Amino acid sequence: MSDIRNIVILTGAGISAESGVATFRGPDGLWEGHRVEDVATPEGFARDPALVQRFYDARRARLHEVQPNAAHAALARLDSEWKGDLLIVTQNVDDLHERAGAKRLLHMHGELKSAWCRACDARLPWEDDLGSGPACPDCGVDGKLRPDIVWFGEMPYEMERIDRALMEADLFVSIGTSGAVYPAAGYVQTARYCGARTLEMNLEPSQGSIFFHETRLGRAGELVPDWVEEVLEAN
């Protein structure tokens, strides 16, 4: 592994599930009791903005009840000690990577602790509820702030930066993601086509497991620290 210099890591709901963060949707197709179409689409927000704001206000508030786990801590350690290029691309909207200490991080699906003003297009750090229709701190307009979350039908953030990193990667690692949601589900194919080694760590094989050179099955809190130790020792 001594020839590895550039690493891209994709993390999904599985890495935060061990901290108590609810995964995206349950076996019944519902997201915490709601149809995904009602709380994770622009159309759902247009139909019932109060419902959507309450949903994300509750999820934002619950962040105070969870802590980073061993997998988050291990990736933060890798971020701190890895001398080559590293990009952690997370599909998660929680702040557990940051709280663990990761710096080279990109939230492709947005963040619960960010608000987007539809009046002035500002994106702002946000800790409080949005359901009360607060004014935008930048432009002063009331009731135009929405969760800064990428919903179905919207374009994920920083796609060009992600694509560049994938094309330059020597190693692509996917942790705790089902491989069902695009464009992230296609990242392994891009990385492998461009010459990267590919590894997935998951509770069970993902839908794209066939595209990985190696699959390690188990809990992220156990697999990721062992892998990080292995990578740092080899380099």
Side-chain angles (χ1 to χ4, degrees), residues 9-17 19 21 63 66-80 86-108 110-111 173-176 220 224 227-228:
I9 299 170
L10 174 69
T11 68
I15 197 171
S16 292
S19 291
V21 177
L63 289 180
V66 298
Q67 299 296 327
N69 61 53
H72 295 107
L75 292 183
R77 177 192 174 199
L78 182 66
D79 186 2
S80 174
L86 173 72
L87 180 62
I88 301 170
V89 179
T90 187
Q91 297 170 276
N92 300 334
V93 296
D94 61 61
D95 62 345
L96 296 180
H97 281 301
E98 291 94 329
R99 284 159 59 189
K103 305 293 186 187
R104 290 182 276 183
L105 174 69
L106 185 160
H107 282 269
M108 65 177 295
E111 304 175 59
V173 183
S174 176
I175 302 169
V224 178
W227 171 73
V228 167

Side-chain angles (χ1 to χ4, degrees), residues 97-152:
H97 281 301
E98 291 94 329
R99 284 159 59 189
K103 305 293 186 187
R104 290 182 276 183
L105 174 69
L106 185 160
H107 282 269
M108 65 177 295
H109 290 160
E111 304 175 59
L112 280 170
K113 288 190 172 182
S114 178
W116 174 27
C117 179
R118 291 167 294 138
C120 70
D121 204 35
R123 285 174 168 81
L124 310 150
W126 199 265
E127 299 273 353
D128 301 321
D129 287 354
L130 289 170
S132 60
C136 172
D138 275 21
C139 70
V141 176
D142 291 332
K144 289 295 184 179
L145 294 175
R146 58 157 269 190
D148 188 13
I149 304 292
V150 176
W151 290 327
F152 285 96

Side-chain angles (χ1 to χ4, degrees), residues 158-220:
E158 301 204 54
M159 292 294 293
E160 290 185 5
R161 181 182 173 195
I162 295 170
D163 284 341
R164 285 197 305 271
L166 290 169
M167 289 188 286
E168 296 171 0
D170 302 310
L171 176 64
F172 172 75
V173 183
S174 176
I175 302 169
T177 181
S178 65
V181 178
Y182 282 84
Y187 289 169
V188 59
Q189 296 175 63
T190 299
R192 184 163 178 163
Y193 178 80
C194 293
R197 292 289 300 174
T198 55
L199 164 68
E200 74 168 339
M201 290 181 271
N202 218 348
L203 279 175
E204 56 190 30
S206 69
Q207 291 187 23
S209 190
I210 189 174
F211 299 111
F212 288 91
H213 290 102
E214 181 184 358
T215 295
R216 301 183 186 184
L217 300 181
R219 292 167 57 87

